[in-house]
Amino acid sequence: MTLAALLVMSMVAGGVWAYFSDIQSSGNNVLLAGTLDLSPSTNGTSSSGNYTVTAGGNQVNGKVVFRKIAPGESGNMTWTLTNNGTLNGTLVISSNVTFALGSSSEIKTAAGDTGADTDGFLDEYLGVKLQRGLGNTTANAMANLTYLLGSSGSYAAFSGLQATLNSAGASMAASGGNDTIVYVLRWEVGSLFGSVNQNIIQGDGADIDITFTLNQ
């Protein structure tokens, strides 16, 4: 009995016993930050030859310049913004709309321009409408346009555009969802004049500066 016990102890001490085992691995674990990627483009239409378009894009200023607009004319600007990133975001708009008085002339004076209105008359007499649409493609966003300023049957004064733009941000899904927002600004010379002599806007100008920011 004593010899058997010593033999067993010797086997344990020598390490000849083994156990079943199963090994699995988990390699290449990565933490990767998501992305916000706002891709803008700008377009516009009006009377042939009276406007130019710079479409823009990432890090490129897109703009539309309308020249020689006259009573009876109309046009539009369209801004299309897409989130190509992997994270949802919120679009914030900061805009600045400024007006400039054209050179004084006997025509403007006869139309009622006394010189007291130092920033011109486009803010009062140029009609605008602003629409916004959200969708998973540009076409879908255009199909979902709703009015933020003005309506289908009437134009609003240009003076109300800045405040409307600055409150017109919206949530944007990541790429593959409702990741596209379209803004359409329509303008018309004529509907807001009433009995005012239309010559009062001759030479006056307006400038729209917009910054689009996509935040998480």
Side-chain angles (χ1 to χ4, degrees):
M1 294 292 292
T2 301
L3 179 61
L6 290 173
L7 179 61
V8 170
M9 291 175 64
S10 176
M11 292 174 66
V12 171
V16 296
W17 278 5
Y19 297 91
F20 292 124
S21 66
D22 183 18
I23 299 174
Q24 302 292 336
S25 63
S26 174
N28 299 321
N29 296 288
V30 177
L31 295 176
L32 182 64
T35 60
L36 293 172
D37 182 14
L38 186 63
S39 178
S41 65
T42 306
N43 208 336
T45 62
S46 186
S47 302
S48 178
N50 286 352
Y51 70 101
T52 58
V53 177
T54 301
N58 281 336
Q59 308 302 314
V60 178
N61 178 37
K63 60 183 181 294
V64 187
V65 178
F66 298 99
R67 297 181 178 85
K68 300 182 293 185
I69 63 174
E73 291 189 340
S74 61
N76 69 68
M77 300 183 211
T78 301
W79 296 279
T80 303
L81 302 111
T82 302
N83 179 13
N84 291 321
T86 61
L87 297 175
N88 296 339
T90 299
L91 182 70
V92 177
I93 298 176
S94 176
S95 69
N96 186 37
V97 180
T98 57
F99 300 93
L101 178 66
S103 301
S104 60
S105 68
E106 72 280 4
I107 297 175
K108 285 178 70 68
T109 301
D113 183 1
T114 63
D117 193 334
T118 58
D119 63 354
F121 295 89
L122 288 182
D123 58 340
E124 301 172 57
Y125 299 119
L126 183 65
V128 293
K129 302 176 182 181
L130 182 66
Q131 295 173 278
R132 179 186 64 196
L134 175 65
N136 56 9
T137 64
T138 300
N140 184 236
M142 290 292 290
N144 294 329
L145 288 174
T146 58
Y147 284 93
L148 303 179
L149 182 65
S151 66
S152 60
S154 63
Y155 286 85
F158 208 152
S159 57
L161 180 61
Q162 179 173 306
T164 303
L165 278 171
N166 290 345
S167 62
S171 297
M172 299 180 74
S175 181
N178 284 333
D179 56 15
T180 301
I181 298 180
V182 174
Y183 295 90
V184 180
L185 174 66
R186 306 183 191 279
W187 58 266
E188 180 195 69
V189 184
S191 62
L192 300 183
F193 282 115
S195 59
V196 174
N197 187 325
Q198 298 179 8
N199 286 315
I200 201 167
I201 69 168
Q202 277 202 40
D204 293 349
D207 192 81
I208 308 170
D209 292 320
I210 306 175
T211 300
F212 299 103
T213 303
L214 185 60
N215 296 319
Q216 186 182 354

